[in-house]
């Protein structure tokens, strides 16, 4: 049998077949050995092959294989074990919900989020919420930001979860796809999800894994079927969308407008900082690249350097 993992508790996995039949599955020991770095070798969103257990309670199975993932998001444990944990996989679209105020979403945060999405290989869409309360100046700001991010290839939609404005557009993008919603607390994630699918409320509480208590806390994701043929993965753990390890040299590749120009830089390992004949800096001077994007790039680079220094000290 083949199905999709909808829920995981760390030892049991809820698997739904394409016909909608639900099985509670366990994994074979060998997966645990193979996935020694991961506490959870199987994640929500995985396509798995499983066998149905005979002579036991109804609808129980054993997962025997995992199909190759198109992508996955990880969460690093904060303790010394430095374990990584796959929280969800096979995500088509990640929606970032943005508000200008109450709470503010700063460009640096948006850029960091987009870098992470690029590194994970997940399509990102920006939703500017609460446009029903913005004054003229704020609407201009939304327009400016949307134009900035559209220019570099990201879809942007101004919405109001409250009035329903452009929610149909969002639903259209979600149809037949697996989506994740992200954004600061208070931007309207719950309100939006409710506007998309009345009655659906997603968990936000953290669930701790009993077996790992005291040394490791895990947040489990869960997938939901929506009435119009879309699926949502609820992942409380990536509210801020985790930061992935990115090499300094590859960071620029996750800024699409930098990546495009890189072949025109004099040095093929150009970091776009002080190198001569840097196509990125030239474009920046011509104002073809936004300063806010370049600033975010430098900030992330600095953060990475700090990260390396810290890691070297502790080892
Ligand atoms: P979450 O923390 O991201 O889940 O945010 P909530 O959905 O709880 O929303 C936070 C607050 O913003 C609530 O008071 C909502 O009523 C309000 N809110 C959400 N979306 C909109 C919107 O489109 N317009 C307005 N005016 N308020 C909104
Ligand atoms: Zn360069």
């Amino acid at each position: 049998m083949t199905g999709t993992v909808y829920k995981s508790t760390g030892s049991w996995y809820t698997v739904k077949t394409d016909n909608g039949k639900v099985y509670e599955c366990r994994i074979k020991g060998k997966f645990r050995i193979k996935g020694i770095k991961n506490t959870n070798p199987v994640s929500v969103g995985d396509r798995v092959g499983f066998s149905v257990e005979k002579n036991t309670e109804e609808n129980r199975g054993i997962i025997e294989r995992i199909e190759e993932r198109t992508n996955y998001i990880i969460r690093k444990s904060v303790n010394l074990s430095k374990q990584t944990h796959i929280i969800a996989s096979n995500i088509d679209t990640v929606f970032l919900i943005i508000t200008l105020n109450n709470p503010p979403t700063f460009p640096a945060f948006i850029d960091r989020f987009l870098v992470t999405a690029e590194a994970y290989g997940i399509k990102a869409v920006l939703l500017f919420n609460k446009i029903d309360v913005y004054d003229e100046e704020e609407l201009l700001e939304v327009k400016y930001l949307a134009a900035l991010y559209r220019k570099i290839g990201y879809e942007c939609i101004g919405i109001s979860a409250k009035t329903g404005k452009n929610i149909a557009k969002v639903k259209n993008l979600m149809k037949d796809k697996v989506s994740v919603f992200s954004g600061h607390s208070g931007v309207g994630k719950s309100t939006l999800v409710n506007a998309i699918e009345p009655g659906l409320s997603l968990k936000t509480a953290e669930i701790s894994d009993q077996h790992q208590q005291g040394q490791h806390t895990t947040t489990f994701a869960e997938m939901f079927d929506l009435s119009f043929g879309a699926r949502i993965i609820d992942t409380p753990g990536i509210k801020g969308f985790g930061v992935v390890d990115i090499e300094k040299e590859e960071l620029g590749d996750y800024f699409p407008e930098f990546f495009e120009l890189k072949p025109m830089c004099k040095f093929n390992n150009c970091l776009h900082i002080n190198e001569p004949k840097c196509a990125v800096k030239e474009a920046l001077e011509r104002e073809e690249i936004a300063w806010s994007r370049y600033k975010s790039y430098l900030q992330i680079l600095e953060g990475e350097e700090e990260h390396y220094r810290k890691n070297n000290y502790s080892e």
Side-chain angles (χ1 to χ4, degrees), residues 1 5 45 74 76 86-87 113 136 211 239 250 284 288:
M1 305 274 268
V5 178
I74 56 166
K76 275 201 171 160
I86 297 175
I87 36 182
F113 177 92
E136 243 168 77
H211 307 287
K239 258 190 190 156
E250 70 179 315
L284 187 68
E288 288 164 12

Side-chain angles (χ1 to χ4, degrees), residues 119-279:
Y120 279 138
I122 306 173
K123 179 187 162 184
V125 173
L126 304 183
L127 302 178
F128 295 86
N129 192 30
K130 307 196 188 181
I131 55 168
D132 58 298
V133 288
Y134 295 151
D135 61 24
E136 243 168 77
E137 201 180 315
E138 289 165 328
L139 286 175
L140 274 177
E141 173 76 9
V142 169
K143 239 180 159 174
Y144 168 81
L145 286 172
L148 191 167
Y149 288 105
R150 258 183 218 130
K151 194 179 161 202
I152 48 182
Y154 298 105
E155 196 154 349
C156 297
I157 310 176
I159 63 165
S160 168
K162 200 168 184 175
T163 68
K165 173 95 177 160
N166 284 341
I167 299 305
K169 279 191 188 167
V170 178
K171 286 172 75 168
N172 225 16
L173 288 179
M174 292 175 69
K175 207 171 173 323
D176 303 322
K177 300 255 164 40
V178 174
S179 302
V180 168
F181 286 85
S182 196
H184 290 315
S185 172
V187 293
K189 290 183 296 298
S190 323
T191 311
L192 175 61
V193 164
N194 222 271
I196 288 166
E197 184 86 358
L200 179 68
S201 71
L202 304 181
K203 280 193 296 298
T204 46
E206 290 222 342
I207 310 155
S208 64
D209 184 349
Q210 298 276 322
H211 307 287
Q212 306 280 340
Q213 233 172 29
Q215 52 155 314
H216 178 96
T217 308
T218 312
T219 311
F220 292 109
E222 186 167 354
M223 190 185 271
F224 296 92
D225 283 329
L226 307 192
S227 58
F228 56 99
R231 286 180 291 177
I232 282 189
I233 297 183
D234 184 20
T235 66
I238 58 149
K239 258 190 190 156
F241 216 44
V243 176
V244 256
D245 277 332
I246 295 168
E247 299 289 332
K248 266 172 80 166
E249 290 73 21
E250 70 179 315
L251 179 63
D253 298 351
Y254 302 131
F255 284 73
E257 74 275 46
F258 296 17
F259 181 66
E260 204 183 273
L261 292 172
K262 198 178 177 183
M264 267 114 82
C265 291
K266 185 177 179 197
F267 298 106
N268 62 9
N269 59 348
C270 187
L271 286 178
H272 323 305
I273 305 175
N274 292 317
E275 295 92 338
K277 299 225 166 85
C278 166

Side-chain angles (χ1 to χ4, degrees), residues 42-60:
V42 176
S43 82
V44 168
D46 273 337
R47 290 283 295 171
V48 295
F50 65 98
S51 61
V52 177
E53 266 189 274
K54 300 253 157 39
N55 307 320
T56 54
E57 283 176 57
E58 247 187 306
N59 290 356
R60 292 222 162 156

